[in-house]
């Protein structure tokens, strides 16, 4: 571990504890303009609810890097929405990150790894390329919310993740508050939301979810898997 990372690890403990008492825009402003200014990035899937966080970030600083992982298996609608929302919000540094072709061909020569070993598929298409990109930042902002359930149920607004800090400004927001913000801010919706998709990842592993089911019920249906790993695996 480099000296910079060691220093951050010590300070991160203090900052993460302080920042846990903040949320939403107040938390974002504190961190984006705080001691780690310039070392902060956003992780976004440009999914069903992503516009709320991105709108808030854009209202503070449109130049903050936004990291978007393109697995090669995304819905065409997601790629179109990324471009439309980027233009709508005036985001200036959206970075589309992909695994290199050789890594994918080596790990998944037949293109069906998602059926036999989805963790390995997420690892090569998402976790590894994401780790390479986010390792250049000290704070990663996510749009995760505790009402999504599962491993997100006890989410904090700021948490240590290895030597980094994960910031979850919407951790304690309700679904109603998200919907109200879409209306209030007149934010464009992902086109698949109207078709019944409530959480949107790869087309091969995403299904529509009933209104009464959990928001993420349509992800990896019928499997124990609930997370791709980009937010749950800490950098060493
Ligand atoms: S969500 Fe499915 S297709 Fe996408 S990377 Fe994970 S296992 Fe592979």
């Amino acid at each position: 571990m480099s000296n910079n990372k060691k220093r951050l690890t010590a300070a991160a403990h203090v900052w993460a504890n302080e920042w846990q008492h903040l949320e939403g825009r107040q938390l974002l402003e504190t961190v984006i303009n705080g001691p780690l200014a310039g070392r902060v990035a956003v992780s976004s899937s440009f999914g069903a609810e992503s516009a709320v966080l991105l709108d808030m970030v854009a209202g503070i600083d449109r130049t903050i890097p936004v990291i978007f992982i393109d697995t090669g298996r995304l819905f065409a609608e997601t790629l179109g929405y990324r471009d439309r929302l980027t233009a709508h919000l005036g985001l200036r540094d959206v970075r589309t990150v992909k695994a290199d072709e050789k890594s994918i061909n080596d790990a998944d020569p037949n293109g069906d790894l998602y059926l036999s070993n989805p963790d390995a598929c997420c690892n090569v298409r998402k976790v590894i390329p994401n780790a390479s990109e986010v390792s250049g930042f000290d704070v990663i902002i996510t749009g995760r919310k505790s009402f999504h359930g599962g491993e997100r149920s006890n989410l904090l607004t700021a948490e240590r993740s290895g030597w980094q800090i994960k910031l979850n400004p919407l951790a304690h927001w309700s679904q109603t508050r998200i919907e109200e913000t879409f209306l209030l801010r007149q934010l464009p919706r992902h086109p698949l939301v109207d078709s019944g998709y409530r959480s949107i990842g790869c087309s091969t592993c995403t299904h529509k979810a009933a209104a009464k089911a959990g928001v993420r019920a349509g992800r990896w249906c019928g499997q124990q898997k609930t997370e791709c790993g980009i937010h749950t695996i800490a950098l060493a």
Side-chain angles (χ1 to χ4, degrees), residues 71 73-74 108 113-115 117-126 201-206 219-220 223 225 228:
T71 62
R73 294 284 172 82
L74 299 176
D108 189 11
L113 189 60
Y114 74 97
L115 292 171
N117 192 341
D119 283 340
C121 185
C122 279
N123 193 50
V124 70
R125 286 187 161 84
K126 298 181 86 171
C202 291
S203 60
T204 38
C205 302
T206 301
R219 305 290 293 276
W220 302 287
Q223 301 179 36
K225 184 175 174 66
C228 68

Side-chain angles (χ1 to χ4, degrees), residues 12-84:
H13 183 71
V14 176
W15 288 327
N17 281 344
E18 288 177 1
W19 293 342
Q20 277 170 30
H21 303 293
L22 305 175
E23 62 106 51
R25 182 171 175 125
Q26 188 185 17
L27 174 60
L28 286 169
E29 283 179 333
T30 299
V31 176
I32 288 169
N33 299 323
L36 293 174
R39 306 284 305 154
V40 180
V42 180
S43 172
S44 181
S45 65
F46 284 83
E49 297 169 343
S50 298
V52 172
L53 175 68
L54 293 174
D55 176 49
M56 224 179 277
V57 169
I60 299 167
D61 183 353
R62 288 187 170 83
T63 69
I64 286 201
V66 176
I67 298 165
F68 169 74
I69 308 296
D70 181 358
T71 62
R73 294 284 172 82
L74 299 176
F75 291 96
E77 288 89 341
T78 298
L79 300 177
Y81 183 60
R82 170 203 57 189
D83 296 342
R84 197 153 61 92

